Every structure is written in C-alpha cells, then in structure tokens.
Amino acid sequence: MTRSLYALPRPGLRWLPVWRRNFLVWRKLAIPSVLGNLADPLIYMLGLGYGLGGLLPQVSGVSYVSFLAAGTIVASTMNAATFEALYSAFSRMHVQKTWEAILNTPLSLDHVLTGELMWAASKSLLSGLAILLVVTALGLTASPLALWIVPVIFLTGLCFAALGLIVCALAPSYDFFMYYFTLFVTPMLLLSGVFFPADQLPAAVQAVSGWLPLAHAVQLARPLLHGAVPADAALHVGALLAIAGVAFFIASVLTRRRLLK
Amino acid sequence: MAALISGAGAASMADIVATGETGAAALSVRGLRKSYGGQEVVAGVDFSVPRGTCFGLLGPNGAGKTTTLRCCLGLTAPDGGEIALGGYPVPAAADAARARVGVVPQFDNLDPDFTASENLLVYGRYFGLADAGIRARIPALLDFAGLAGKEGARLQTLSGGMKRRLTLARALVNDPDIVFLDEPTTGLDPQARHLIWERLKRLMAQGKTLILTTHFMDEAERLCDRLAVLDHGRLITEGAPRELIAAHIEPQVVEIFGDEAPAWAKARRALGERLEVAGDTAFFYCRDAAPLLAALPEAPGLRYAHRAANLEDVFLKLTGRELRD
C-alpha cells in the first residue's frame, strides 16, 4: 500500500478518461448490448430452471430455478467481463491501436489497463444487475440480504476482467481466445456449482473446483439470494480479491512487455 | 563568506532551472542506445532540436527512426543515453513532457466509433482537460484542419486525407509546444499533402517545434530547418537541407533513360564527376553539365532530364540504392 502510494504520486483517477471513452462507445450501442447480455442467460435460466426443474425435486433446499438464479447472475457477470477484456480490449489494443493513441498523451499503460479493468468490471456489473433485477421481479428472492450480491457481482467482474486481460496480453489474434474458453471458462462453468451443487462431483474434481474463482462467487451469491449469510464469506471475498490482484499484476507485466519494448 | 557561497549556489541553481524550462532545446538526445535481442537498433545517437524549428529525421526502413521517436516520447526505455523533451528528463518525467507534446502517428488510430468532434473531446480528456475547455477549442481545431462543419461527421464518412487532418487536429488538442509527426503525408494525394505542408508551416509560424520523419525528400527539403539522416542506428549526417546538398553532392544532375543508357553512360564516364546506374537509368553528377549535355544529341534513342541536385540524391548517396526491408 505504502509502496504503491509512493509509486503513484498522484493517486487520482487518471484512468477515468479511459473508462469514459469506453462508456461513450457503449452508450451508442447500449440497447443491443444490454439485450444481448440479458437475453442469453435468461433463456438458459428460465428454460433449464422451469423445464428441467419440473423434473427435479428441490435442489439444495430450493426449487431448481431458484437454485439456478444465483449461478446465472455470477456466470453472466463472468461472461460479460471476459468478453470485454478479451475481444473488446484486444480490438482496442491490437486492431484499432486505441491504446497506442492514449500512450502518446500523459497517461501511461497502467492508467490504460486500470481503465480497461474498471470498465470491464462496470459492464459486467450491469449484466449481473440486470439478471438480479429479473430474478427479483420473478419473486425468486425476497431477502434484503440479496442487495449484498451487488458488490459480489462487481468483485466477480474485477476478477474475470483481470484474468481476461492476461489472455488479451498474450493473444496473437482473436482465434487464441477459443483456448481460454474451451480450456478454462467452460470447464469452470460446469465445475463451480452454477448448474448443480458441486458436491455432486467426484471428490478429486471437487478438490479442484473449490479453487476456481467462479466457485467462490457462487458460494457468496447463492446464500445471499436465499436470505442467508454465506459461510466462510471472508475466505471467498479474500480469494476473489487475491485472484483479481495477482491477475491484474500479471496482466500489467505482460502488457508492458508486449507494448513498451 | 558562507552566505556568499550559498547565494552563488542558489543563483546557479536558479539559472539551471530557468534554462531547463525556457532556454534549452525542445528536444535533446545524447548517446542514445537501444538493442533488441542483442542487435543494436539505435547505436549512439546525438541530436538537438532548438525551439521553434522543424527537425527532420530521415532514414531507410529499419534505420532506427521509430525506436528513436519511441524513446524520445518515453514509450521505450533506452539502454543508454540521455533525453530531455521540453526540458523534462525522459523517461523519468515522460508524462509531464508528453503533456506539452502532440503526436501524429504513422498509422491512423482515430476512434472509429466516434464523430470528428468526439474524437477530439475524448482525446483532450486524456490530457486532463475539462470538457468545456475542449469543446470551446473544437471548432478552431477543425477549422485549422480544413474540417470546418464536420463536427458531427462519423469517421467512416471521412476520406484518408480528412482522417489525416483530423489526426493533426487531435495532436493539437492540448495546444502543444512540440509536435511529433511520423510520416505525416504517407498515402495522401498531392492536394492533401500540400494542405498538410501549409498547416505545418503555420504551426511553425506560431512558434511550435516540429519533429518529423518522412520518406519524401521534397517534404523534408521544404519543411525542415535541419535534418539528420539515420542509418543502421547511427546518424550519418546532420545539417540544413541546402548545406547537406552542397556538402555531399555535385550541384547538377543529368538523368539519362533508355535501354542503351547504361552502356552509353559507362562509355562516357569522364563527362561527370560521378556516375550511378540503376536499372535503365544513368545518373551523372556534375559540377558542369555542359559537355555532357553537348554530347547527348548524338544519342537520339536516349531521353534525359537535367536538374539541380536535391536531397534525394544526398539520401541515396549516403544510404545506397539497394532495397531495405
């Protein structure tokens, strides 16, 4: 903390103009963007929740659609942050050379990356919030504790934005992102307790799944949605913060190596 | 006595600070070195650009121009040497230096999602400028770039020349003292090039310092007060364009074209001080071209052009005619 204070003599918000640039672009395309972010996860949640849920007894003490709701909120947050930090950030870095233009101003790469991190997290917050609103409107939550899901969404977004920026820094082209999705995102989606309780998995797999960032997010969001204080909340929050911090540091080092040779 | 010494010390410190802020060069580079993977791309470069002048950095592809510019802007950490930009040491205080600098990059990196004025607004924010201040400057900036009335134009509707001019306007959004231009007219039609040149001259008249790279020797000759030729990471010559031509090249050039030209010219080598042959063209460099011009009518199959030596002749003499990749 002291070190970073000394490293940044002006602890101001110099990344904010980068965030505002992305916000201005988003504002022009807001309606299709929001619809796209909302429709897909909702179709899955409602289709699986009511369709598959009709065949199931209660899952972990609640209806299946209610079980699925918390998972959908964080999974959709993850997707939004990941897409923004992969495809959109890569376009700005590599295709449009937007970052290069910014680096010719007094801003540094650290400001650019912080702006991108905060932007991807903000955009994913919007995605998660939209699902939370629909879930609330459907009567799938009634507890005021559900409001605590808002910071959980933002933290989840930060975590996956930071991870995504690592992949962005390494990518030679858009095709590279497919590896990240097939090798990391999709397995994580299935192992983190989004669609079914993770304790259904073999013990060996559970040992891995407990470490996944999305699993921490699920274990925070699900109890909150159902009106309970999450067990080991500090551990899960700490794990998400640690992953976000370490991932952002790695992304910064890799991006500096890529762009500031 | 002690007071006198410390007083003198304080005065000289003040002198140094004052020099750093006003009197010193806009850009000074001393002993700049940079290697990539064991290969020295910039191998000890020194130059200095006085305020209010235009300095050209010329050189074939791969000569080290881009690396030199990146080091000057603090985007690449040099392996050795000292750089001061606008009085600020770079890279140590590169952000403060860049606050007073504008950059026209070689490749267009305007924001394709924005209108012309949004591009300027968003770019001005990166300098920490307030929206109201930027908006107040936008009409004058667009007017300067010959884009008056294009405030709301979407980027896709602008031609290549218009985008280039918008990039120039963007580089001026912070009213910089120093403007870097990396090949500012590459890919433009003659009309657009002349317009850019005219605007750059206006900027010089306003007292701004211009630092430009170009592959067009006529552009360098026209705009630059001084220029330096960089090759293989070293400055091989530096001076005013006229001085360089006088120092390196015979004043007159006769170019002779045609299938027979090389053989004809080689047989009459003595008619010029120097002869160069490239493809089916022979270049005679002469102090006095009269004897050669008198001999030419005896070879009716040949066409020729007699002209004054120019910067391109200097460039080709110094860096050779073989292709660079």
Side-chain angles (χ1 to χ4, degrees):
Chain A
M1 189 64 203
T2 355
R3 264 195 67 213
S4 74
L5 256 175
Y6 278 108
L8 291 170
R10 279 194 288 175
L13 298 170
R14 294 183 70 195
W15 53 266
L16 203 59
V18 180
W19 188 96
R20 290 180 75 192
R21 181 230 163 257
N22 294 346
F23 176 71
L24 184 58
V25 176
W26 174 83
R27 227 176 51 184
K28 295 178 173 241
L29 309 159
I31 290 171
S33 163
V34 170
L35 283 180
N37 277 327
L38 197 57
D40 201 51
L42 278 182
I43 290 165
Y44 271 91
M45 186 182 83
L46 299 177
L48 289 176
Y50 289 112
L52 191 60
L55 304 170
L56 294 172
Q58 290 204 323
V59 179
S60 301
V62 293
S63 71
Y64 184 57
V65 69
S66 183
F67 175 88
L68 200 54
T72 305
I73 292 169
V74 289
S76 143
T77 305
M78 170 183 78
N79 273 332
T82 304
F83 268 95
E84 191 63 26
L86 263 55
Y87 291 93
S88 308
F90 187 77
S91 295
R92 293 189 280 268
M93 172 182 76
H94 188 72
V95 183
Q96 292 176 200
K97 308 278 183 196
T98 309
W99 294 8
E100 213 171 272
I102 300 173
L103 293 178
N104 286 329
T105 73
L107 299 189
S108 72
L109 190 55
D110 291 0
H111 298 128
V112 172
L113 282 174
T114 309
E116 292 287 354
L117 176 82
M118 298 304 280
W119 168 249
S122 307
K123 204 174 157 185
S124 70
L125 175 66
L126 202 71
S127 261
L129 276 182
I131 309 278
L132 181 62
L133 279 177
V134 174
V135 164
T136 309
L138 289 172
L140 297 173
T141 181
S143 166
L145 270 179
L147 278 177
W148 282 100
I149 294 179
V150 177
V152 170
I153 293 171
F154 189 70
L155 186 53
T156 306
L158 275 181
C159 190
F160 284 101
L163 288 166
L165 287 174
I166 295 180
V167 184
C168 177
L170 293 170
S173 71
Y174 291 109
D175 299 328
F176 184 76
F177 300 139
M178 201 43 81
Y179 295 116
Y180 183 65
F181 278 103
T182 48
L183 298 177
F184 185 66
V185 174
T186 308
M188 186 165 50
L189 198 58
L190 291 170
L191 298 179
S192 297
V194 170
F195 299 110
F196 50 84
D199 55 23
Q200 295 295 308
L201 294 163
V205 181
Q206 274 188 55
V208 177
S209 73
W211 289 88
L212 296 171
L214 189 62
H216 292 294
V218 169
Q219 290 183 60
L220 286 168
R222 184 163 290 137
L224 288 170
L225 195 69
H226 301 144
V229 176
D232 303 324
L235 172 82
H236 298 307
V237 169
L240 287 173
L241 276 174
I243 295 169
V246 172
F248 187 62
F249 176 72
I250 295 172
S252 299
V253 172
L254 291 173
T255 313
R256 283 184 210 133
R257 271 181 36 186
R258 177 173 184 145
L259 296 182
L260 301 182
K261 285 181 297 181
Chain B
M1 189 64 188
L4 200 66
I5 291 169
S6 76
S12 65
M13 271 306 282
D15 283 348
I16 291 165
V17 172
T19 318
E21 282 171 357
T22 55
L27 171 65
S28 91
V29 175
R30 292 277 162 268
L32 182 66
R33 290 181 179 277
K34 179 72 187 178
S35 300
Y36 290 115
Q39 183 166 358
E40 207 159 43
V41 179
V42 179
V45 163
D46 298 81
F47 62 88
S48 176
V49 182
R51 284 176 194 269
T53 65
C54 177
F55 181 82
L57 199 54
L58 313 183
N61 288 331
K65 298 189 300 291
T66 304
T67 305
T68 302
L69 287 191
R70 284 182 62 85
C71 288
C72 291
L73 288 167
L75 301 175
T76 292
D79 297 333
E82 282 170 27
I83 300 167
L85 176 60
Y88 293 98
V90 172
D95 56 345
R98 288 199 301 264
R100 303 298 314 134
V101 165
V103 178
V104 176
Q106 186 177 345
F107 300 107
D108 166 42
N109 56 23
L110 292 161
D111 253 312
D113 300 301
F114 292 153
T115 64
S117 61
E118 282 168 341
N119 261 288
L120 300 179
L121 176 68
V122 167
Y123 208 71
R125 286 174 180 165
Y126 300 143
F127 289 87
L129 303 174
D131 283 15
I134 307 167
R135 284 187 209 279
R137 280 175 60 74
I138 286 176
L141 286 168
L142 289 178
D143 190 44
F144 178 83
L147 294 169
K150 292 281 181 189
E151 278 82 355
R154 292 172 55 81
L155 209 67
Q156 297 92 312
T157 66
L158 301 183
S159 69
M162 288 166 133
K163 285 184 189 167
R164 205 75 197 136
R165 272 139 55 199
L166 183 58
T167 305
L168 177 61
R170 190 183 68 171
L172 301 174
V173 76
N174 58 327
D175 192 20
D177 303 322
I178 305 166
V179 184
F180 283 79
L181 303 122
D182 196 358
E183 300 191 23
T185 65
T186 298
L188 297 188
D189 64 26
Q191 288 84 350
R193 293 179 69 196
H194 280 271
L195 188 108
I196 295 260
W197 290 340
E198 192 271 321
R199 292 306 194 265
L200 295 183
K201 284 182 178 161
R202 273 209 234 168
L203 291 178
M204 284 157 70
Q206 293 170 19
K208 298 194 189 301
T209 307
L210 306 186
I211 296 160
L212 80 107
T213 74
T214 180
H215 286 306
F216 300 117
M217 297 302 135
D218 55 335
E219 179 167 289
E221 206 170 325
R222 202 178 285 251
L223 293 174
C224 297
D225 297 303
R226 288 183 74 75
L227 47 86
V229 179
L230 193 64
D231 200 13
H232 302 298
R234 288 190 170 79
L235 283 194
I236 50 178
T237 191
E238 193 192 334
R242 290 279 119 208
E243 284 168 24
L244 292 181
I245 295 167
H248 290 281
I249 290 282
E250 298 74 9
Q252 299 188 46
V253 183
V254 180
E255 294 184 26
I256 306 170
F257 324 93
D259 294 339
E260 312 295 314
W264 187 90
K266 281 174 186 164
R268 291 159 186 79
R269 191 180 285 276
L271 289 174
E273 268 70 25
R274 219 153 47 78
L275 170 68
E276 283 183 32
V277 173
D280 66 354
T281 306
F283 297 82
F284 274 101
Y285 295 91
C286 316
R287 261 180 240 296
D288 175 13
L292 176 61
L293 294 173
L296 272 162
E298 74 189 47
L302 301 179
R303 289 169 296 120
Y304 71 95
H306 177 210
R307 60 173 174 81
N310 61 30
L311 204 52
E312 187 146 322
D313 299 311
V314 177
F315 186 84
L316 288 169
K317 182 183 175 192
L318 294 175
T319 61
R321 285 186 186 271
E322 68 274 21
L323 277 182
R324 306 297 181 86
D325 295 311

